[in-house]
Amino acid sequence: MTDRTPGKSHRPVPVFTHPDEVPLLTALTALADPVRLQLVRTLANHPDWSLSCSNFDVPIGRAAKSHHFSVLRAAGLVEQRDDGPKRLNRLRREEFDARFPGLLDLALRDDKAS
């Protein structure tokens, strides 16, 4: 169901999946894509709700970025909310860590670390 309250965004409210409902393969698939991993790493380095979708520097178009955020929401990794024309993002780290202990730490680890 979409929220069409006056003053709210014209876009449908994002659908969320709680990490408790996410199969391991879905979580791994979401984190396996380089663009999605970059989105998650960027979110991990910023406070909750401080980045809108346009703040991410990824080499893809707007529609592709929207798709990647949809995959991350379905995997229980990201929560989004609309603030006027902006869609703000939050990494659901605490909830995701409770479901998959250590997985996000591995994904966020610097690949170049020795």
Side-chain angles (χ1 to χ4, degrees):
M1 183 172 186
T2 59
D3 182 356
R4 304 272 186 209
T5 308
K8 298 281 184 175
S9 174
H10 64 282
R11 297 179 289 190
V13 175
V15 175
F16 302 103
T17 304
H18 193 279
D20 288 345
E21 301 170 9
V22 176
L24 177 60
L25 186 56
T26 300
L28 291 172
T29 301
L31 290 168
D33 183 274
V35 170
R36 290 193 289 269
L37 187 56
Q38 184 177 349
L39 295 173
V40 168
R41 286 177 172 171
T42 301
L43 278 172
N45 290 317
H46 289 83
D48 290 351
W49 310 117
S50 65
L51 295 176
S52 69
C53 293
S54 63
N55 292 129
F56 293 85
D57 184 25
V58 288
I60 57 174
R62 190 172 168 183
K65 193 185 303 183
S66 179
H67 165 74
H68 285 296
F69 273 111
S70 176
V71 171
L72 292 172
R73 286 193 318 267
L77 280 156
V78 172
E79 184 177 1
Q80 295 178 308
R81 72 176 184 206
D82 290 335
D83 182 22
K86 296 180 181 179
R87 182 157 282 177
L88 301 177
N89 301 276
R90 170 180 92 86
L91 181 62
R92 300 179 74 179
R93 184 164 196 154
E94 187 175 315
E95 302 101 307
F96 194 83
D97 283 344
R99 172 74 168 115
F100 303 108
L103 181 58
L104 199 49
D105 288 336
L106 288 171
L108 296 174
R109 189 173 65 187
D110 183 5
D111 292 338
K112 297 174 187 168
S114 45

